[in-house]
Amino acid sequence: MKAAAKNIEAIYSLSPIQEGLLLDSLRAPASHLYHCQFPFTLHEVVDVAAFQKAWQTAVSRHAVLRTIFVWEGMETMRQVVLRKADLPLRVEDWRAFTKDEQQQKLADYYAQDRNSAFDFSQSPPIRLALFRVEDERYEFICSCHHVLLDGWSCVLLFKEVAAHYRAYREGRELRLPKPRPYRDYVSWLKKLELSEAEAHWRRTLQDFVRPSTLPLVDDARSFSDERREWSQSVSEQTTRALERIARDSQLTLNTIVQGAWALLLNLHSGEPDVVFGSTVSGRSIPLEGVESMIGVFINTLPVRVRIERELTVEQWLRRIQQDQAAARQFEFTPLVQIHGCSDVPGNVPLFNSIVVFENFPTEAFEENYQVDAHSRAQRNIKSSVPVQLENTNYPLSLHAIVEQSLKLRLQYDPRLFSAEASRQLLDRFNLILESLAREPRSLSEIEWLTGAERARILSQSKGNAAPVATEIVTQLIERQATENPDAVAVVHGEAQLSYRELDQRAEELASYLCGFGIGSEQVIAICLSRSPEMVVALLGVLKAGAAYMPLDPAHPPERLAYMLDEVGPPLMLTEESLRERLPSSWAQVVCLDADWEEIKQYGNNRASAVSGKNLAYVIYTSGSTGRPKGVMVAHKGIVN
């Protein structure tokens, strides 16, 4: 241990969220995960000595600001509270530089600061910098690692520092109540009995077996640590309307944002049951004084939303809020234990996107910086939304910040999303919020296409030889195979199929199925890995005039057996590598990879008459009773 023994005040374990944050950062040091930067512009002549003293006072008062972290040679990570810790303040005068030069120097500092990793075992991970750019204007940046502070704590800390600074400038001492140390929260967590919490999360995640599909993502690509972002503002008119709806319906604005995100995932993925993460303050716990404690209490919890189109929008949003209220009782549960309450494999994330709703009263910091009682400037410090508050380890992170208008920031993994696709995603999310602000009665009334996208679709529809609504999906593919035979129809990693190839292979499979006597309204089970063969299988079944029932190979065998027993399909399409996972009672199995040479011999001998009213597929969703529920969809439903 680097710290001298005589300077050690306490040693104790990390909270689960601290341990997760620190481990993520140590695994990917170049990713700058959870490195927070808070910028402020101060419009006054700063008393540097009083400013530094105010920060040092905060360090003396709060043990978490004197904390380092050690793990080498130890079974578990520990945090060590130092009796004394100096918090250096970097001060530079940039008044001799031009404005352009100052902006460049500031940008260079942000980059240099983010690229300078914190040494957790040497000193507390927090840095301060104060740059004078005019006689009465300074740029101040507080950088820290999330393992020390969450957003709520930052507001408390900034407010306290500002109050001490004002007192020191006026030559007086400020006496504040002794703060409750973060160690008390860690001790409280250790004494918890989690059986009731685990029961809640098991009920919540029942029958949930894989993370919701991300929109616009090619699953063949791997996740990366790099993050980029887009920012956008919701109009003030829309923001006021959403706030009024929330107030009149006794909802929170956070509930509306979560509902909009669930709709976006549903509209892009087609999944009627979606799960994403949501950050919670972690302060809704029975621990006296927790509201004013400084440390890390924030947690990320799964939010499960079923798209129930039989409900009105208000009823649906109210159900989301009720579920969140129930979850709030157990918001202290570590995410790793929640994960264990689901059927999602331990090496697979519970969700791939999170929603962060930020509603911190940052004006509390601003109001404490005044030049003097007679100054014309009543508020002479302007704070912006934190610059790159933090990078998360989720491929998609939506940050909604409550200001005069709702601000949106979408962080994305550039390995999974192009800049254009991610910007389109944010545009569509904003459109959903605007649509919700117009108070639609049903979910089907909510708009999510931009004007340009809608115009393009309508134009394409008008230019078709026959109205899209009169055709079924197999006819649409056949027409593409005739008009654009070499155009790419299916892409998966390095593999791809043209429309001609797709239609031909589907035709061969359809003829093979017709040879088995497969026809209209019969249901064929399909259990395949995500691949071009899966698309061929779906289209081939439809061409044969039958309907398909998709089976996820990641589902538990008991769930698959239940679905097969209830539907009783005469045949299953799968692949050799999955046969062992399937219920053994199903003898009529065709493996597309092993049997394809035989399938190709059947040529084209199918004859099926299918209309938009015929059954196209049966899909099972997680029923409200806990048992899977089958939903039948006709061909016209696919085209719509």
Side-chain angles (χ1 to χ4, degrees):
M1 188 178 299
K2 304 295 183 182
K6 62 181 180 181
N7 194 32
I8 294 175
E9 180 179 298
I11 302 176
Y12 57 100
S13 60
L14 281 66
S15 66
I17 185 64
Q18 279 185 306
E19 188 168 340
L21 293 169
L22 191 54
L23 282 172
D24 282 346
S25 297
L26 293 174
R27 289 190 189 113
S31 66
H32 319 304
L33 282 174
Y34 311 116
H35 185 144
C36 309
Q37 291 176 318
F38 295 91
F40 296 91
T41 299
L42 285 65
H43 294 275
E44 68 170 290
V45 177
V46 174
D47 183 333
V48 176
F51 191 74
Q52 190 162 19
K53 185 178 179 181
W55 277 99
Q56 196 61 49
T57 299
V59 172
S60 300
R61 280 174 44 80
H62 299 285
V64 72
L65 301 178
R66 290 178 273 116
T67 298
I68 62 175
F69 301 86
V70 295
W71 55 89
E72 291 183 2
M74 310 182 77
E75 292 184 3
T76 59
M77 290 183 164
R78 311 288 283 180
Q79 49 189 330
V80 178
V81 179
L82 307 179
R83 297 184 187 278
K84 293 182 180 179
D86 292 328
L87 182 57
L89 172 66
R90 175 175 174 176
V91 180
E92 295 180 11
D93 191 336
W94 291 354
R95 285 177 292 175
F97 298 99
T98 66
K99 290 188 180 298
D100 287 344
E101 289 172 335
Q102 289 175 351
Q103 288 299 313
Q104 185 58 54
K105 288 178 71 67
L106 194 60
D108 290 344
Y109 174 78
Y110 279 124
Q112 173 265 324
D113 175 64
R114 288 191 69 78
N115 289 323
S116 299
F118 292 111
D119 188 341
F120 299 99
S121 64
Q122 291 280 1
S123 59
I126 183 169
R127 291 192 284 259
L128 308 177
L130 183 66
F131 305 120
R132 191 173 191 177
V133 293
E134 296 176 9
D135 289 347
E136 296 187 3
R137 181 167 167 262
Y138 294 72
E139 299 293 343
F140 170 62
I141 302 98
C142 172
S143 302
C144 67
H145 194 276
H146 204 355
V147 73
L148 282 190
L149 304 167
D150 56 22
W152 185 307
S153 295
C154 286
V155 173
L156 294 176
L157 175 62
F158 295 155
K159 181 179 180 180
E160 181 178 312
V161 169
H164 278 292
Y165 172 71
R166 188 176 175 189
Y168 290 147
R169 286 206 60 173
E170 296 171 358
R172 57 185 175 85
E173 292 288 331
L174 184 67
R175 297 191 179 277
L176 298 177
K178 184 177 179 180
R180 188 165 189 175
Y182 184 68
R183 182 181 185 178
D184 288 359
Y185 170 67
V186 177
S187 299
W188 179 84
L189 284 176
K190 284 188 171 183
K191 297 175 184 176
L192 283 177
E193 170 54 56
L194 292 178
S195 58
E196 188 178 353
E198 289 177 352
H200 165 80
W201 291 115
R202 282 198 175 89
R203 289 192 300 270
T204 299
L205 298 172
Q206 188 174 33
D207 294 327
F208 180 63
V209 296
R210 67 173 184 179
S212 300
T213 305
L214 283 178
L216 311 178
V217 170
D218 179 354
D219 285 351
R221 303 175 191 171
S222 59
F223 293 178
S224 69
D225 295 323
E226 183 184 1
R227 293 294 178 273
R228 296 176 188 167
E229 72 176 52
W230 287 107
S231 298
Q232 195 174 110
S233 294
V234 178
S235 70
E236 287 193 32
Q237 180 182 1
T238 297
T239 302
R240 298 290 85 77
L242 293 174
E243 290 174 338
R244 177 185 55 76
I245 292 169
R247 186 170 57 252
D248 293 347
S249 303
Q250 296 183 315
L251 299 167
T252 65
L253 191 55
N254 186 20
T255 295
I256 295 177
V257 168
Q258 289 188 359
W261 187 254
L263 281 173
L264 186 69
L265 293 178
N266 161 253
L267 290 166
H268 272 285
S269 69
E271 296 177 3
D273 184 4
V274 298
V275 175
F276 56 90
S278 175
T279 58
V280 293
S281 70
R283 308 271 176 161
S284 301
I285 58 175
L287 181 63
E288 185 178 356
V290 68
E291 299 87 356
S292 58
M293 292 173 67
I294 289 182
V296 184
F297 298 83
I298 196 171
N299 198 6
T300 303
L301 304 177
V303 177
R304 187 174 190 176
V305 179
R306 295 175 176 87
I307 310 301
E308 300 170 284
R309 299 191 182 277
E310 68 275 12
L311 301 179
T312 66
V313 171
E314 183 176 337
Q315 289 171 335
W316 179 69
L317 289 173
R318 196 178 299 281
R319 182 163 294 182
I320 293 175
Q321 183 154 300
Q322 290 170 349
D323 290 344
Q324 290 307 290
R328 198 169 298 123
Q329 303 175 57
F330 309 105
E331 65 179 20
F332 52 79
T333 317
L335 184 56
V336 66
Q337 290 182 253
I338 296 175
H339 194 301
C341 296
S342 75
D343 292 322
V344 178
N347 61 341
V348 176
L350 198 56
F351 41 79
N352 289 322
S353 69
I354 65 168
V355 173
V356 182
F357 189 81
E358 300 176 12
N359 191 19
F360 303 127
T362 53
E363 67 276 5
F365 181 39
E366 301 172 5
E367 290 169 355
N368 282 279
Y369 279 87
Q370 298 177 356
V371 175
D372 54 60
H374 306 289
S375 172
R376 291 174 58 196
Q378 293 301 307
R379 295 177 69 181
N380 44 53
I381 173 171
K382 303 294 182 184
S383 68
S384 63
V385 175
V387 173
Q388 295 178 314
L389 172 59
E390 63 183 77
N391 280 346
T392 73
N393 59 345
Y394 297 101
L396 270 184
S397 301
L398 176 77
H399 294 250
I401 303 101
V402 178
E403 293 185 345
Q404 185 64 25
S405 64
L406 193 62
K407 307 292 184 185
L408 305 175
R409 291 171 54 233
L410 183 69
Q411 286 186 348
Y412 65 96
D413 183 342
R415 289 277 297 276
L416 297 175
F417 302 90
S418 67
E420 179 183 0
S422 55
R423 180 55 184 263
Q424 181 187 70
L425 205 60
L426 190 57
D427 287 342
R428 287 177 174 174
F429 180 75
N430 203 340
L431 280 172
I432 292 174
L433 289 178
E434 290 176 358
S435 187
L436 287 170
R438 292 191 287 271
E439 300 186 73
R441 178 167 177 78
S442 69
L443 294 177
S444 60
E445 297 175 34
I446 294 174
E447 298 179 6
W448 66 298
L449 293 176
T450 64
E453 289 171 329
R454 192 177 299 107
R456 184 176 68 251
I457 291 172
L458 290 174
S459 175
Q460 291 173 344
S461 176
K462 291 176 181 178
N464 286 338
V468 170
T470 66
E471 295 181 294
I472 61 175
V473 68
T474 52
Q475 294 169 334
L476 293 172
I477 297 295
E478 287 165 4
R479 181 149 52 80
Q480 284 293 326
T482 300
E483 298 175 358
N484 303 289
D486 297 321
V488 176
V490 182
V491 177
H492 182 73
E494 299 299 321
Q496 64 181 37
L497 292 176
S498 67
Y499 276 100
R500 179 196 289 116
E501 292 169 327
L502 172 62
D503 189 59
Q504 179 181 341
R505 295 186 66 179
E507 195 73 43
E508 293 168 345
L509 177 59
S511 298
Y512 178 78
L513 294 175
C514 289
F516 274 92
I518 300 300
S520 179
E521 300 298 315
Q522 287 186 295
V523 179
I524 305 302
I526 295 179
C527 187
L528 290 163
S529 304
R530 191 178 179 93
S531 63
E533 286 68 31
M534 176 188 281
V535 183
V536 170
L538 301 179
L539 193 57
V541 169
L542 296 178
K543 276 178 172 284
Y548 63 82
M549 177 178 68
L551 300 176
D552 190 333
H555 280 166
E558 298 79 14
R559 179 186 173 99
L560 298 180
Y562 172 82
M563 295 161 61
L564 290 167
D565 288 341
E566 186 166 79
V567 175
L571 187 139
M572 179 189 296
L573 301 179
T574 186
E575 58 194 72
E576 280 289 344
S577 62
L578 298 178
R579 289 198 67 153
E580 292 184 0
R581 303 188 198 177
L582 302 175
S584 58
S585 60
W586 287 87
Q588 193 60 47
V589 174
V590 175
C591 293
L592 294 189
D593 48 0
D595 300 331
W596 189 256
E597 288 303 316
E598 179 185 350
I599 293 171
K600 287 197 305 182
Q601 304 305 316
Y602 275 73
N604 183 356
N605 61 356
R606 70 178 181 89
S608 61
V610 178
S611 72
K613 296 180 180 180
N614 284 105
L615 181 64
Y617 66 85
V618 176
I619 189 166
Y620 274 77
T621 63
S622 298
S624 57
T625 62
R627 302 201 76 178
K629 179 176 65 175
V631 178
M632 297 187 293
V633 180
H635 275 275
K636 65 180 181 180
I638 298 180
V639 174
N640 288 339

